Amino acid sequence: MYLLDTNHCSYIINNTPNVIAAVQSRSTSDIGISIITYGELLYMTEKSERQAQNLAAVQAFLIGFDLYFIDEETAIFYSQIKAAVFNMFAPKDKSKRRSISVGDLGFDDHDLWIAATAIQHNLILVSADSDFVRIQQAQSFSLESWL
């Protein structure tokens, strides 16, 4: 089972051949997206020049896929991943650590929530975002790209 990151959702919506072929070779019932990814897609439509057309494309895209919500268990995985990322990439000097956030280390909280969702549901995260490779260094999970 697979969890699509925002970039792969965009590739599907924009008919990127490699990604479309990968989706077609799998059952859509085995593919889902995080509510975080859904929010990112909606944000992209809000800031676009063709809001109505892009919103319709996102809504049509969503019809075929499961949506994974955040719950208490997701929050537990998120906190563990965030702590692991911080411990691996933050300065070791305690005085420097106090003023550092995971954002300062180049990580986006949305990506941490998406990774937590994949781990919680034992899904393969599908993304072309190199930040997930860095997150994998701190917390093991399955990751692939369909590009």
Side-chain angles (χ1 to χ4, degrees):
M1 305 246 327
Y2 301 92
L3 186 71
L4 300 177
D5 185 30
T6 309
N7 55 46
H8 272 63
C9 294
S10 294
Y11 297 142
I12 293 166
I13 292 168
N14 293 319
N15 291 312
T16 302
N18 294 3
V19 179
I20 295 297
V23 169
Q24 290 173 341
S25 72
R26 293 162 175 85
S27 169
T28 56
S29 64
D30 290 341
I31 303 171
I33 69 166
S34 163
I35 192 70
I36 299 295
T37 298
Y38 179 50
E40 289 179 336
L41 291 170
L42 291 176
Y43 170 68
M44 290 166 58
T45 67
E46 287 292 324
K47 68 178 190 167
S48 72
E49 292 180 10
R50 302 180 321 196
Q51 288 182 4
Q53 184 180 8
N54 290 337
L55 179 59
V58 167
Q59 290 172 332
F61 161 78
L62 286 175
I63 291 171
F65 302 106
D66 289 329
L67 192 58
Y68 289 88
F69 293 92
I70 291 173
D71 60 19
E72 184 178 352
E73 188 177 2
T74 321
I76 293 167
F77 283 111
Y78 164 81
S79 69
Q80 292 169 349
I81 294 168
K82 191 169 185 174
V85 163
F86 188 82
N87 287 333
M88 175 164 275
F89 295 102
K92 302 307 175 209
D93 182 339
K94 286 188 180 190
S95 65
K96 293 179 182 176
R97 290 171 75 97
R98 289 188 186 106
S99 62
I100 299 289
S101 71
V102 292
D104 296 329
L105 302 174
F107 294 95
D108 181 57
D109 268 325
H110 289 170
D111 290 345
L112 299 177
W113 281 108
I114 292 167
T117 302
I119 292 168
Q120 174 187 3
H121 297 283
N122 197 29
L123 303 170
I124 299 167
L125 181 57
V126 181
S127 180
D129 185 341
S130 62
D131 287 345
F132 287 113
V133 174
R134 291 180 64 219
I135 294 168
Q136 258 187 332
Q137 293 173 9
Q139 177 68 50
S140 179
F141 61 94
S142 298
L143 177 67
E144 61 184 60
S145 174
W146 293 345
L147 287 181

